[in-house]
Amino acid sequence: TQLELEQLSAIFSGVQDLRKAFDRAKARREQGNGTLLFVDEIHRFNRSQQDGFLPFVEAGVVTLVGATTENPSFEVISALLSRAAVYVLQPLSDADLAVLLERALKRAAIIGH
């Protein structure tokens, strides 16, 4: 993506952490660089905190990726959802894991590890 990664956890971060992340993102943008802001457990931010993302998302200061174990339709404010694409991740099957393991073993043999 050629974006600088900022990572936050809504469990351990507050408004001050968000402000700092947005300030760094604005500074990067002024230099022509973008920021991907990854927020783990985004549903843990309250409505007011989630509202704080809007101006930065709308202005393109950050590309927001929020992860949640909850249903975002109920836990993430509609204004953010309307500006997002929601992807539901499913666990890999045993067959999928076997294919990945086989691929990794082949690659390791090619590289000589």
Side-chain angles (χ1 to χ4, degrees):
T1 64
Q2 299 182 348
L3 300 174
E4 187 76 26
L5 177 63
E6 284 272 350
Q7 297 179 67
L8 293 174
S9 167
I11 296 171
F12 301 112
S13 303
V15 173
Q16 192 172 26
D17 299 304
L18 287 172
R19 284 192 186 123
K20 288 178 184 177
F22 291 139
D23 287 344
R24 288 189 296 268
K26 285 191 288 190
R28 278 188 209 101
R29 179 148 187 191
E30 289 171 2
Q31 296 176 356
N33 300 314
T35 301
L36 185 133
L37 177 60
F38 177 81
V39 181
D40 192 27
E41 302 293 342
I42 193 167
H43 68 278
R44 300 289 292 264
F45 281 129
N46 65 37
R47 294 186 74 73
S48 176
Q49 290 168 315
Q50 290 183 36
D51 278 333
F53 286 91
L54 289 173
F56 301 99
V57 170
E58 289 175 342
V61 173
V62 297
T63 298
L64 177 63
V65 175
T68 179
T69 54
E70 302 296 324
N71 183 334
S73 298
F74 299 114
E75 302 296 333
V76 177
I77 62 171
S78 60
L80 271 182
L81 282 179
S82 71
R83 292 156 178 83
V86 176
Y87 297 94
V88 178
L89 303 180
Q90 301 295 330
L92 294 173
S93 69
D94 289 345
D96 294 330
L97 291 171
V99 168
L100 290 174
L101 181 59
E102 185 176 324
R103 190 181 306 155
L105 291 172
K106 286 180 183 176
R107 182 178 175 119
I110 292 170
I111 299 173
H113 287 82

